[in-house]
Amino acid sequence: MGCRQGLQGYCVPMPETSPRAHRPPTRVVDLGRPTRGDDTPVNPPITVSSTYVGTGEVASGARAYGRYSNPTWDPFEDALARLEGADVPALLYGSGLAAIASALDLVALGGTVVMPAHTYQGALLGAQETARTGRFNLVTVDIADTQEVIAAMRTAVEDTASLTHERPVLLWIESPTNPMLEVADLPTLIEAAKASGAFVVVDNTFATPLLQRPLETGADVVVHSVTKYLAGHSDVILGACVPADAPIREALLHHRSIQGAIAGPFEAWLGLRGLRTLALRVERSGDNAMVLARRLEGHPAVRVIRYPGLRNDPGHERAAAQMDGFGAIISIDVGSAAAADRVVDQCRLWTPATSLGGVESLVERRRRHTAEPATVPDGLIRLSVGIEDVEDLWDDIRAALDVLEA
Ligand SMILES: *Cc1c(COP(=O)(O)O)cnc(C)c1O
């Protein structure tokens, strides 16, 4: 990855400034820096140009034009790939959903996509709408039920046996899922997918590469809503695909160049800037989430709590085995939409807003989105735990929940 020549047809000197031996908290700070020299900047510049000088034949992936490439993307794409353990650069997109649409488009015409019933609602909605056009078949599964997923995948492989296109079956995994926090058995599902010839994409938004690296387990593509933890400050919409190898990257790059769902240079730069503090933010928000989850578990207004860090959570053992931490999203069910709305209304420090993964704590009743599946409880509140002082967060959410007991 030191130089992109051959892969993309142009060369960006990207020295291995951060040896693999360095630990992730070092690498998020050190990756994607410009080559050192006297008076060189420590940060990469923002390149604002829609076109590039040239007269030669424009091959696939050439710099050439601002929809194909921008030097501002390169250091972030390089850093993200290395953090996920990929051998080729990642690809930035204008949003997480643009990256997801591009990854979904890898499945063969007439193929089958097997997807968690509780995957991020935007991804599910997009897949459902595409499936209705006949582009592919969509099968939804309980991603925590390993046998059900494997059975669905096997059936899909048999059903698509006559297809000659590449990638007839795409297994879509999200773990932990948004907002139900179900945990998939990643090693088992990925191994089963490989054995049956299915292609695997993992949405790694909740975990980030600091807590989970699905490519190392054999996944073909990792997708991110960079908007969330990677950028981390609720000030940018950005997405990424992290392909495992060059042919998949080539297919995604072609799609991105043609469809045009590219990132703006300033947004890409903000994403890399946010990445610098990822390790600190993931650690602090994860510690906060663990403290809050233990206390919320004992609050009388909380009927059900899901947080993989809790010992008796259904996903705990899997998460402990395959993740390096449990993340900072908690969901609680307070029984009804009215009760959940009252809790959210009472919050003063927690901000009532959708999204997650920023430095500030957010709280939201998920079913306020009418597209959220009806199997997500009406009274489910998703908590995105930030990096504030945990006692202030607790005082605020406890007071809000206490109102239901009064
Ligand atoms: C937010 C989110 C997305 C969508 O990303 P955008 O950047 O909002 O387009 C996809 N997957 C998950 C898990 C998310 O939380």
Side-chain angles (χ1 to χ4, degrees):
M1 235 179 339
C3 173
R4 295 170 177 227
Q5 204 159 37
L7 187 60
Q8 288 193 315
Y10 63 87
C11 180
V12 180
M14 197 68 73
E16 177 77 76
T17 53
S18 185
R20 267 167 208 253
H22 282 170
R23 289 145 189 91
T26 305
R27 306 192 86 209
V28 296
V29 173
D30 201 29
L31 286 165
R33 299 281 181 185
T35 307
R36 280 186 202 174
D38 270 350
D39 281 340
T40 52
V42 295
N43 288 307
I46 301 175
T47 302
V48 186
S49 186
S50 63
T51 190
Y52 306 93
V53 177
T55 55
E57 182 181 305
V58 177
S60 156
R63 189 75 82 189
Y65 185 56
R67 185 164 20 80
Y68 309 152
S69 165
N70 185 302
T72 323
W73 304 341
D74 301 344
F76 191 21
E77 292 183 336
D78 185 85
L80 198 48
R82 290 184 206 264
L83 290 170
E84 289 284 2
D87 292 324
V88 293
L91 293 154
L92 287 181
Y93 291 79
S95 68
L97 265 186
I100 285 170
S102 208
L104 275 173
D105 211 39
L106 289 167
V107 73
L109 177 66
T112 297
V113 175
V114 177
M115 206 175 220
H118 292 144
T119 204
Y120 171 70
Q121 53 112 1
L124 185 64
L125 201 61
Q128 284 166 335
E129 285 175 5
T130 307
R132 246 174 263 132
T133 69
R135 163 74 180 79
F136 53 67
N137 306 304
L138 179 65
V139 177
T140 57
V141 289
D142 172 359
I143 202 68
D145 184 340
T146 306
Q147 292 319 311
E148 183 192 336
V149 181
I150 291 175
M153 211 159 46
R154 296 226 167 102
T155 306
V157 169
E158 282 165 26
D159 288 350
T160 55
S162 62
L163 294 183
T164 52
H165 287 84
E166 279 182 294
R167 300 182 286 269
V169 175
L170 195 165
L171 173 62
W172 191 272
I173 302 178
E174 187 180 314
S175 181
T177 56
N178 181 359
M180 298 287 274
L181 294 164
E182 297 138 333
V183 179
D185 183 341
L186 286 179
T188 305
L189 290 181
I190 293 172
E191 195 187 308
K194 298 281 108 174
S196 65
F199 187 78
V200 185
V201 179
V202 180
D203 185 332
N204 207 26
T205 299
F206 269 33
T208 84
L210 295 188
L211 303 185
Q212 176 170 284
R213 287 163 301 281
L215 296 184
E216 290 177 356
T217 319
D220 297 291
V221 177
V222 157
V223 297
H224 279 285
S225 171
V226 176
T227 311
K228 314 293 170 56
Y229 289 102
L230 297 177
H233 294 74
S234 308
D235 54 9
V236 64
I237 297 279
L238 202 61
C241 282
V242 193
D245 62 39
I248 304 169
R249 184 175 194 280
E250 200 54 43
L252 289 168
L253 174 62
H254 181 73
H255 186 265
R256 184 182 68 175
S257 301
I258 297 297
Q259 303 271 330
I262 57 164
F266 184 59
E267 284 73 12
W269 185 89
L270 272 178
L272 181 62
R273 177 180 159 117
L275 186 74
R276 299 302 181 207
T277 54
L278 181 67
L280 280 176
R281 290 184 286 105
V282 165
E283 187 183 339
R284 171 64 172 253
S285 60
D287 289 350
N288 282 354
M290 187 60 115
V291 170
L292 293 175
R294 288 203 180 115
R295 294 182 187 176
L296 288 165
E297 198 178 21
H299 195 288
V302 176
R303 309 255 177 113
V304 181
I305 180 167
R306 287 301 306 262
Y307 180 65
L310 292 173
R311 264 180 216 293
N312 48 6
D313 186 87
H316 178 69
E317 263 177 53
R318 272 181 198 163
Q322 71 195 18
M323 297 175 76
D324 295 328
F326 302 106
I329 307 294
I330 300 170
S331 62
I332 54 174
D333 184 355
V334 294
S336 71
D341 286 340
R342 281 184 73 196
V343 171
V344 171
D345 277 349
Q346 289 295 319
C347 289
R348 294 294 170 267
L349 175 59
W350 296 71
T351 303
T354 195
S355 198
L356 55 102
V359 291
E360 73 296 328
S361 295
L362 301 181
V363 56
E364 181 183 42
R365 183 173 77 84
R366 276 307 286 178
R367 287 283 299 282
R368 83 186 180 99
H369 299 272
T370 52
E372 193 78 356
T375 46
V376 171
D378 246 345
L380 183 138
I381 299 174
R382 188 181 68 192
L383 303 165
S384 172
V385 180
I387 64 169
E388 302 93 333
D389 186 284
V390 70
E391 297 304 333
D392 292 331
L393 291 174
W394 172 243
D395 288 348
D396 197 55
I397 196 75
R398 181 185 38 86
L401 287 163
D402 283 349
V403 168
L404 297 185
E405 297 304 297

mmCIF file of all heavy atoms in Angstrom, residues 94-100 119-123 174 176-178 203-206 223-228 236-239 355-356 382, ligand 1:
data_model
loop_
_atom_site.group_PDB
_atom_site.id
_atom_site.type_symbol
_atom_site.label_atom_id
_atom_site.label_comp_id
_atom_site.label_asym_id
_atom_site.label_seq_id
_atom_site.Cartn_x
_atom_site.Cartn_y
_atom_site.Cartn_z
ATOM 1 N N GLY A 94 -19.822 9.750 0.228
ATOM 2 C CA GLY A 94 -20.484 10.924 0.776
ATOM 3 C C GLY A 94 -21.314 10.662 2.014
ATOM 4 O O GLY A 94 -21.675 11.586 2.733
ATOM 5 N N SER A 95 -21.623 9.382 2.300
ATOM 6 C CA SER A 95 -22.366 9.013 3.514
ATOM 7 C C SER A 95 -22.196 7.517 3.747
ATOM 8 O O SER A 95 -21.762 6.785 2.839
ATOM 9 C CB SER A 95 -23.862 9.335 3.366
ATOM 10 O OG SER A 95 -24.447 8.473 2.394
ATOM 11 N N GLY A 96 -22.565 7.079 4.940
ATOM 12 C CA GLY A 96 -22.538 5.645 5.221
ATOM 13 C C GLY A 96 -23.472 4.896 4.287
ATOM 14 O O GLY A 96 -23.138 3.828 3.767
ATOM 15 N N LEU A 97 -24.647 5.472 4.035
ATOM 16 C CA LEU A 97 -25.612 4.780 3.166
ATOM 17 C C LEU A 97 -25.135 4.698 1.723
ATOM 18 O O LEU A 97 -25.455 3.746 1.014
ATOM 19 C CB LEU A 97 -26.976 5.459 3.237
ATOM 20 C CG LEU A 97 -27.934 4.824 4.239
ATOM 21 C CD1 LEU A 97 -29.306 5.462 4.141
ATOM 22 C CD2 LEU A 97 -28.055 3.314 4.035
ATOM 23 N N ALA A 98 -24.363 5.685 1.273
ATOM 24 C CA ALA A 98 -23.800 5.606 -0.082
ATOM 25 C C ALA A 98 -22.813 4.440 -0.154
ATOM 26 O O ALA A 98 -22.778 3.696 -1.148
ATOM 27 C CB ALA A 98 -23.108 6.915 -0.450
ATOM 28 N N ALA A 99 -22.032 4.256 0.913
ATOM 29 C CA ALA A 99 -21.097 3.124 0.956
ATOM 30 C C ALA A 99 -21.871 1.804 0.974
ATOM 31 O O ALA A 99 -21.512 0.838 0.286
ATOM 32 C CB ALA A 99 -20.201 3.233 2.193
ATOM 33 N N ILE A 100 -22.947 1.783 1.736
ATOM 34 C CA ILE A 100 -23.779 0.575 1.838
ATOM 35 C C ILE A 100 -24.411 0.241 0.486
ATOM 36 O O ILE A 100 -24.416 -0.912 0.051
ATOM 37 C CB ILE A 100 -24.854 0.774 2.938
ATOM 38 C CG1 ILE A 100 -24.179 0.657 4.320
ATOM 39 C CG2 ILE A 100 -26.014 -0.205 2.797
ATOM 40 C CD1 ILE A 100 -25.048 1.060 5.496
ATOM 41 N N THR A 119 -31.062 -4.883 10.948
ATOM 42 C CA THR A 119 -29.898 -4.117 10.525
ATOM 43 C C THR A 119 -30.299 -2.635 10.504
ATOM 44 O O THR A 119 -31.490 -2.298 10.564
ATOM 45 C CB THR A 119 -29.402 -4.583 9.134
ATOM 46 O OG1 THR A 119 -28.029 -4.247 8.999
ATOM 47 C CG2 THR A 119 -30.179 -3.956 7.990
ATOM 48 N N TYR A 120 -29.333 -1.753 10.426
ATOM 49 C CA TYR A 120 -29.611 -0.315 10.385
ATOM 50 C C TYR A 120 -30.763 -0.055 9.412
ATOM 51 O O TYR A 120 -30.716 -0.488 8.257
ATOM 52 C CB TYR A 120 -28.347 0.442 9.959
ATOM 53 C CG TYR A 120 -28.608 1.891 9.695
ATOM 54 C CD1 TYR A 120 -28.893 2.749 10.744
ATOM 55 C CD2 TYR A 120 -28.604 2.404 8.405
ATOM 56 C CE1 TYR A 120 -29.169 4.085 10.508
ATOM 57 C CE2 TYR A 120 -28.878 3.739 8.167
ATOM 58 C CZ TYR A 120 -29.163 4.567 9.223
ATOM 59 O OH TYR A 120 -29.449 5.886 8.985
ATOM 60 N N GLN A 121 -31.787 0.670 9.876
ATOM 61 C CA GLN A 121 -33.036 0.769 9.099
ATOM 62 C C GLN A 121 -32.846 1.354 7.698
ATOM 63 O O GLN A 121 -33.543 0.966 6.775
ATOM 64 C CB GLN A 121 -34.113 1.529 9.872
ATOM 65 C CG GLN A 121 -33.710 2.891 10.388
ATOM 66 C CD GLN A 121 -34.450 4.021 9.699
ATOM 67 O OE1 GLN A 121 -35.280 3.803 8.840
ATOM 68 N NE2 GLN A 121 -34.090 5.239 10.067
ATOM 69 N N GLY A 122 -31.887 2.242 7.519
ATOM 70 C CA GLY A 122 -31.649 2.816 6.192
ATOM 71 C C GLY A 122 -31.127 1.766 5.219
ATOM 72 O O GLY A 122 -31.521 1.734 4.039
ATOM 73 N N ALA A 123 -30.274 0.887 5.716
ATOM 74 C CA ALA A 123 -29.731 -0.187 4.873
ATOM 75 C C ALA A 123 -30.844 -1.165 4.512
ATOM 76 O O ALA A 123 -30.970 -1.607 3.364
ATOM 77 C CB ALA A 123 -28.598 -0.907 5.605
ATOM 78 N N GLU A 174 -24.395 -7.161 10.530
ATOM 79 C CA GLU A 174 -24.144 -5.988 11.349
ATOM 80 C C GLU A 174 -24.067 -6.524 12.768
ATOM 81 O O GLU A 174 -24.931 -7.302 13.184
ATOM 82 C CB GLU A 174 -25.298 -4.997 11.202
ATOM 83 C CG GLU A 174 -25.047 -3.659 11.886
ATOM 84 C CD GLU A 174 -26.238 -2.715 11.705
ATOM 85 O OE1 GLU A 174 -26.750 -2.585 10.573
ATOM 86 O OE2 GLU A 174 -26.656 -2.124 12.710
ATOM 87 N N PRO A 176 -22.480 -5.242 16.816
ATOM 88 C CA PRO A 176 -23.857 -5.357 17.307
ATOM 89 C C PRO A 176 -24.805 -4.561 16.400
ATOM 90 O O PRO A 176 -24.398 -3.590 15.779
ATOM 91 C CB PRO A 176 -23.796 -4.725 18.707
ATOM 92 C CG PRO A 176 -22.353 -4.709 19.096
ATOM 93 C CD PRO A 176 -21.602 -4.580 17.815
ATOM 94 N N THR A 177 -26.081 -5.013 16.360
ATOM 95 C CA THR A 177 -27.036 -4.370 15.460
ATOM 96 C C THR A 177 -27.574 -3.066 16.053
ATOM 97 O O THR A 177 -27.610 -2.883 17.272
ATOM 98 C CB THR A 177 -28.241 -5.290 15.154
ATOM 99 O OG1 THR A 177 -28.857 -5.676 16.386
ATOM 100 C CG2 THR A 177 -27.820 -6.513 14.373
ATOM 101 N N ASN A 178 -27.998 -2.196 15.160
ATOM 102 C CA ASN A 178 -28.577 -0.907 15.500
ATOM 103 C C ASN A 178 -30.087 -0.970 15.281
ATOM 104 O O ASN A 178 -30.510 -1.164 14.143
ATOM 105 C CB ASN A 178 -27.962 0.159 14.573
ATOM 106 C CG ASN A 178 -28.455 1.559 14.846
ATOM 107 O OD1 ASN A 178 -29.273 1.776 15.713
ATOM 108 N ND2 ASN A 178 -27.948 2.504 14.065
ATOM 109 N N ASP A 203 -21.141 -4.462 8.468
ATOM 110 C CA ASP A 203 -21.247 -3.060 8.898
ATOM 111 C C ASP A 203 -20.601 -2.982 10.276
ATOM 112 O O ASP A 203 -21.133 -3.484 11.263
ATOM 113 C CB ASP A 203 -22.729 -2.647 8.935
ATOM 114 C CG ASP A 203 -22.903 -1.159 9.264
ATOM 115 O OD1 ASP A 203 -22.025 -0.584 9.946
ATOM 116 O OD2 ASP A 203 -23.934 -0.575 8.866
ATOM 117 N N ASN A 204 -19.450 -2.323 10.342
ATOM 118 C CA ASN A 204 -18.645 -2.289 11.573
ATOM 119 C C ASN A 204 -18.753 -0.939 12.290
ATOM 120 O O ASN A 204 -17.883 -0.574 13.072
ATOM 121 C CB ASN A 204 -17.172 -2.581 11.213
ATOM 122 C CG ASN A 204 -16.389 -3.205 12.356
ATOM 123 O OD1 ASN A 204 -16.966 -3.860 13.237
ATOM 124 N ND2 ASN A 204 -15.084 -3.014 12.365
ATOM 125 N N THR A 205 -19.826 -0.214 12.002
ATOM 126 C CA THR A 205 -19.995 1.145 12.544
ATOM 127 C C THR A 205 -19.978 1.180 14.073
ATOM 128 O O THR A 205 -19.307 2.020 14.669
ATOM 129 C CB THR A 205 -21.320 1.751 12.034
ATOM 130 O OG1 THR A 205 -21.267 1.826 10.612
ATOM 131 C CG2 THR A 205 -21.562 3.144 12.601
ATOM 132 N N PHE A 206 -20.727 0.274 14.712
ATOM 133 C CA PHE A 206 -20.843 0.315 16.173
ATOM 134 C C PHE A 206 -19.522 -0.022 16.855
ATOM 135 O O PHE A 206 -19.192 0.547 17.885
ATOM 136 C CB PHE A 206 -21.925 -0.664 16.661
ATOM 137 C CG PHE A 206 -23.292 -0.053 16.765
ATOM 138 C CD1 PHE A 206 -23.702 0.941 15.890
ATOM 139 C CD2 PHE A 206 -24.175 -0.471 17.743
ATOM 140 C CE1 PHE A 206 -24.968 1.504 15.981
ATOM 141 C CE2 PHE A 206 -25.446 0.084 17.857
ATOM 142 C CZ PHE A 206 -25.839 1.066 16.980
ATOM 143 N N VAL A 223 -18.073 -2.092 5.931
ATOM 144 C CA VAL A 223 -18.609 -0.756 5.652
ATOM 145 C C VAL A 223 -18.719 0.029 6.952
ATOM 146 O O VAL A 223 -18.874 -0.552 8.033
ATOM 147 C CB VAL A 223 -19.988 -0.782 4.939
ATOM 148 C CG1 VAL A 223 -19.883 -1.433 3.576
ATOM 149 C CG2 VAL A 223 -21.042 -1.461 5.784
ATOM 150 N N HIS A 224 -18.590 1.352 6.828
ATOM 151 C CA HIS A 224 -18.707 2.237 7.984
ATOM 152 C C HIS A 224 -19.583 3.430 7.671
ATOM 153 O O HIS A 224 -19.481 4.013 6.593
ATOM 154 C CB HIS A 224 -17.335 2.812 8.381
ATOM 155 C CG HIS A 224 -16.502 1.891 9.193
ATOM 156 N ND1 HIS A 224 -16.764 1.655 10.516
ATOM 157 C CD2 HIS A 224 -15.422 1.140 8.866
ATOM 158 C CE1 HIS A 224 -15.873 0.787 10.979
ATOM 159 N NE2 HIS A 224 -15.045 0.447 10.000
ATOM 160 N N SER A 225 -20.383 3.824 8.671
ATOM 161 C CA SER A 225 -20.882 5.183 8.693
ATOM 162 C C SER A 225 -19.784 5.950 9.432
ATOM 163 O O SER A 225 -19.710 5.920 10.663
ATOM 164 C CB SER A 225 -22.216 5.266 9.436
ATOM 165 O OG SER A 225 -22.542 6.633 9.611
ATOM 166 N N VAL A 226 -18.929 6.628 8.678
ATOM 167 C CA VAL A 226 -17.821 7.392 9.266
ATOM 168 C C VAL A 226 -18.376 8.557 10.104
ATOM 169 O O VAL A 226 -17.739 9.049 11.032
ATOM 170 C CB VAL A 226 -16.871 7.903 8.149
ATOM 171 C CG1 VAL A 226 -15.760 8.775 8.705
ATOM 172 C CG2 VAL A 226 -16.286 6.717 7.389
ATOM 173 N N THR A 227 -19.608 8.958 9.722
ATOM 174 C CA THR A 227 -20.376 9.961 10.464
ATOM 175 C C THR A 227 -20.325 9.737 11.975
ATOM 176 O O THR A 227 -20.353 10.690 12.746
ATOM 177 C CB THR A 227 -21.864 9.856 10.021
ATOM 178 O OG1 THR A 227 -21.937 9.856 8.603
ATOM 179 C CG2 THR A 227 -22.701 10.963 10.595
ATOM 180 N N LYS A 228 -20.279 8.469 12.383
ATOM 181 C CA LYS A 228 -20.443 8.112 13.796
ATOM 182 C C LYS A 228 -19.098 8.161 14.527
ATOM 183 O O LYS A 228 -18.520 9.223 14.641
ATOM 184 C CB LYS A 228 -21.133 6.752 13.886
ATOM 185 C CG LYS A 228 -22.351 6.604 12.964
ATOM 186 C CD LYS A 228 -23.515 7.509 13.344
ATOM 187 C CE LYS A 228 -24.624 7.535 12.293
ATOM 188 N NZ LYS A 228 -25.189 6.250 11.933
ATOM 189 N N VAL A 236 -20.217 15.888 10.573
ATOM 190 C CA VAL A 236 -19.919 15.509 9.199
ATOM 191 C C VAL A 236 -20.693 14.243 8.834
ATOM 192 O O VAL A 236 -20.916 13.387 9.689
ATOM 193 C CB VAL A 236 -18.385 15.308 9.028
ATOM 194 C CG1 VAL A 236 -17.885 14.165 9.880
ATOM 195 C CG2 VAL A 236 -17.986 15.094 7.592
ATOM 196 N N ILE A 237 -21.138 14.149 7.578
ATOM 197 C CA ILE A 237 -21.746 12.916 7.068
ATOM 198 C C ILE A 237 -20.747 12.312 6.084
ATOM 199 O O ILE A 237 -20.309 12.987 5.137
ATOM 200 C CB ILE A 237 -23.083 13.205 6.337
ATOM 201 C CG1 ILE A 237 -24.134 13.794 7.285
ATOM 202 C CG2 ILE A 237 -23.611 11.949 5.661
ATOM 203 C CD1 ILE A 237 -24.884 12.820 8.144
ATOM 204 N N LEU A 238 -20.391 11.070 6.333
ATOM 205 C CA LEU A 238 -19.308 10.443 5.559
ATOM 206 C C LEU A 238 -19.421 8.928 5.698
ATOM 207 O O LEU A 238 -19.864 8.438 6.729
ATOM 208 C CB LEU A 238 -17.984 10.925 6.150
ATOM 209 C CG LEU A 238 -16.703 10.898 5.328
ATOM 210 C CD1 LEU A 238 -16.823 11.790 4.096
ATOM 211 C CD2 LEU A 238 -15.519 11.386 6.185
ATOM 212 N N GLY A 239 -19.009 8.205 4.653
ATOM 213 C CA GLY A 239 -19.046 6.744 4.731
ATOM 214 C C GLY A 239 -17.796 6.138 4.140
ATOM 215 O O GLY A 239 -16.985 6.844 3.520
ATOM 216 N N SER A 355 -28.832 9.674 15.516
ATOM 217 C CA SER A 355 -27.399 9.506 15.313
ATOM 218 C C SER A 355 -26.715 9.065 16.610
ATOM 219 O O SER A 355 -27.361 8.897 17.653
ATOM 220 C CB SER A 355 -26.732 10.753 14.736
ATOM 221 O OG SER A 355 -25.478 10.389 14.181
ATOM 222 N N LEU A 356 -25.425 8.837 16.519
ATOM 223 C CA LEU A 356 -24.670 8.222 17.612
ATOM 224 C C LEU A 356 -23.180 8.387 17.330
ATOM 225 O O LEU A 356 -22.779 8.813 16.245
ATOM 226 C CB LEU A 356 -25.020 6.721 17.692
ATOM 227 C CG LEU A 356 -24.815 5.914 16.401
ATOM 228 C CD1 LEU A 356 -23.533 5.100 16.444
ATOM 229 C CD2 LEU A 356 -25.991 4.995 16.149
ATOM 230 N N ARG A 382 -32.705 4.367 22.489
ATOM 231 C CA ARG A 382 -31.290 4.118 22.201
ATOM 232 C C ARG A 382 -30.453 5.217 22.849
ATOM 233 O O ARG A 382 -30.727 6.405 22.643
ATOM 234 C CB ARG A 382 -31.047 4.084 20.689
ATOM 235 C CG ARG A 382 -29.619 3.643 20.330
ATOM 236 C CD ARG A 382 -29.411 3.650 18.832
ATOM 237 N NE ARG A 382 -29.438 5.016 18.293
ATOM 238 C CZ ARG A 382 -29.507 5.308 16.993
ATOM 239 N NH1 ARG A 382 -29.565 4.340 16.109
ATOM 240 N NH2 ARG A 382 -29.529 6.565 16.582
HETATM 241 C C1 LIG B 1 -25.873 5.748 10.797
HETATM 242 C C2 LIG B 1 -25.606 4.371 10.330
HETATM 243 C C3 LIG B 1 -25.524 4.095 8.956
HETATM 244 C C4 LIG B 1 -25.797 5.157 7.895
HETATM 245 O O1 LIG B 1 -24.746 6.052 7.821
HETATM 246 P P1 LIG B 1 -24.931 7.584 7.287
HETATM 247 O O2 LIG B 1 -23.557 8.122 7.444
HETATM 248 O O3 LIG B 1 -25.953 8.218 8.179
HETATM 249 O O4 LIG B 1 -25.386 7.513 5.879
HETATM 250 C C5 LIG B 1 -25.228 2.806 8.580
HETATM 251 N N1 LIG B 1 -25.016 1.831 9.488
HETATM 252 C C6 LIG B 1 -25.100 2.055 10.812
HETATM 253 C C7 LIG B 1 -24.868 0.935 11.764
HETATM 254 C C8 LIG B 1 -25.392 3.334 11.277
HETATM 255 O O5 LIG B 1 -25.487 3.546 12.590
#
